[in-house]
Amino acid sequence: MSLTPGTLTHKTMTHETLELHTRQPFGIARWTHSVYPRTFVAFTQGGHTGRGEAAPNAFYGETAAIVQAVLPGLLDCLTDPWDWDGLHAAMSARFPHHHPSVKCALEMAALEWCALHAGVPVWKLLGLSPAPIPESSFTVSLGELPAMRQQAREAVQAGYGVLKVKLGTERDVQIVEALREEAPAVSLRVDANAAWSRHGARRMLEVLDAAEVELVEQPLAADDLEGHAELRRFSRVPIMADESLHHVSDVPRLAESFDAVNLKLAKLGGPLQALQALKTARALKMGVMIGCMIESSLGIAAAVSLAGLCDWADLDGALLLADDPYSGLEWQAGHVQRPTAAGWGVERP
């Protein structure tokens, strides 16, 4: 029997949580971790199984324990995989502004189920651009300077042309200068993860400009939009929002304070929500980066689907893992190929 949109047949929903480990401790201004619990959802109906990943982040009010507690209460929101608006409305009715990574996992599962039924990749199902995907940055995590230099050296030797450097310490000037010396030919981006003061940020922007840094993510606290607006008037380096962006509805209020936004599916609630945020940002003449959490190739594949619409990419989350449970994405240094197989284009060995 062939299924059509809206047809109701027997369906099952399962989920499991795995601990993913990074190849080395991954540090930002707020913390350093090596273990990242991720919850994987599988929705099966009519012979097809759509999959999604919840990559929670405590900064956005989610932990693995919260995901495991909340997810069972949202599973029944996914009744008809073709009814994407209905799924979003049902989840939002229960948790208007909470649990975005859980919503992302369910939205991913619905989209992949539909793409498998149609026999196409998700990006084709959505009619998204087949344009070339921007080269992804490779992250140099925050740590002792010799270790950061080593990370940069190895990335350059592996062929990466874009490095994203985590900052947020009293050694930031030294770090930027040392990594620019270590990698003089690469495009350099920095991410302060909301750790700088207004005064410190003005000083650092001069350093970043001298080092020919391409952009800076979230220099100040997430709620300091006035401070970011002041920095933007002063800075020759584009300023990008990350921690200040929690929901699609945040984008308009960020337009005066930031030049660009970093869209992460797990914090926005899924690929369709990120796509809406992207369109809003474009209407406001903002630049757009497609980003990620530390997550498996399943979550990265969903972000790759939107990458052809973006100016920048930061999609190395799975490359930092020692035990990625999914495979199928083809990488050549920072260049990833858009999946051609139906669905998300990745498999669980």
Side-chain angles (χ1 to χ4, degrees):
M1 180 177 88
S2 63
L3 295 176
T4 57
T7 298
L8 296 179
T9 62
H10 176 71
K11 63 181 184 293
T12 61
M13 183 87 78
T14 61
H15 58 92
E16 65 173 332
T17 299
L18 303 177
E19 288 191 345
L20 307 186
H21 303 80
T22 51
R23 297 178 186 276
Q24 57 189 27
F26 186 81
I28 68 171
R30 292 189 293 272
W31 43 252
T32 298
H33 295 312
S34 299
V35 181
Y36 293 81
R38 298 298 182 239
T39 299
F40 299 91
V41 169
F43 171 82
T44 301
Q45 179 175 283
H48 301 298
T49 299
R51 303 160 299 169
E53 178 174 354
N57 188 312
F59 185 85
Y60 303 105
E62 283 190 303
T63 63
I66 289 174
V67 167
Q68 292 173 52
V70 168
L71 181 58
L74 284 177
L75 293 179
D76 65 347
C77 293
L78 180 47
T79 56
D80 179 356
W82 291 100
D83 186 8
W84 306 336
D85 289 341
L87 171 61
H88 177 66
M91 293 190 296
S92 297
R94 297 186 190 182
F95 300 108
H97 295 294
H98 297 88
H99 314 307
S101 79
V102 178
K103 296 173 182 176
C104 177
L106 293 177
E107 189 170 271
M108 282 179 62
L111 287 173
E112 184 175 46
W113 187 95
C114 294
L116 292 171
H117 176 63
V120 297
V122 174
W123 64 271
K124 282 193 174 182
L125 178 78
L126 298 178
L128 300 182
S129 173
I133 295 173
E135 181 178 3
S136 174
S137 55
F138 187 85
T139 305
V140 176
S141 70
L142 192 57
E144 295 301 320
L145 186 54
M148 295 182 74
R149 291 190 73 133
Q150 180 66 20
Q151 289 179 60
R153 186 178 310 120
E154 291 176 356
V156 171
Q157 291 172 350
Y160 289 94
V162 184
L163 298 183
K164 175 178 173 177
V165 182
K166 294 291 189 178
L167 298 177
T169 73
E170 295 180 353
R171 302 175 285 113
D172 285 351
V173 173
Q174 181 185 9
I175 291 171
V176 171
E177 292 176 345
L179 294 192
R180 175 48 84 199
E181 177 185 357
E182 190 69 49
V186 305
S187 295
L188 200 61
R189 304 168 186 168
V190 305
D191 185 359
N193 286 116
W196 292 342
S197 66
R198 292 189 186 185
H199 176 75
R202 285 182 69 98
R203 176 170 176 259
M204 280 303 304
L205 285 172
E206 295 177 349
V207 174
L208 302 186
D209 184 42
E212 298 183 323
V213 166
E214 185 179 6
L215 58 86
V216 55
E217 281 188 57
Q218 199 70 43
L220 307 177
D223 60 354
D224 190 3
L225 299 189
E226 179 182 346
H228 281 105
E230 291 180 3
L231 291 181
R232 186 184 179 198
R233 290 190 289 270
F234 165 80
S235 179
R236 289 189 289 271
V237 179
I239 298 176
M240 178 177 292
D242 184 358
E243 281 87 345
S244 292
L245 175 57
H246 291 235
H247 312 290
V248 175
S249 59
D250 289 335
V251 177
R253 70 184 184 88
L254 301 180
E256 296 299 320
S257 300
F258 296 92
D259 298 289
V261 289
N262 184 350
L263 306 181
K264 296 178 179 177
L265 278 56
K267 72 172 179 177
L268 290 170
L272 296 177
Q273 309 315 307
L275 183 58
Q276 184 178 344
L278 188 154
K279 292 177 178 178
T280 302
R282 290 302 193 204
L284 295 167
K285 303 188 185 308
M286 302 179 78
V288 177
M289 172 185 282
I290 187 70
C292 65
M293 305 296 186
I294 301 291
E295 51 196 300
S296 80
S297 287
L298 178 61
I300 299 302
V304 167
S305 295
L306 276 64
L309 300 173
C310 301
D311 304 299
W312 306 281
D314 178 33
L315 298 175
D316 65 339
L319 300 178
L320 302 173
L321 293 174
D323 51 3
D324 186 354
Y326 287 87
S327 62
L329 287 181
E330 296 183 15
W331 286 91
Q332 183 62 45
H335 298 278
V336 62
Q337 297 298 313
R338 185 178 284 102
T340 57
W344 295 124
V346 296
E347 297 297 334
R348 183 89 172 264

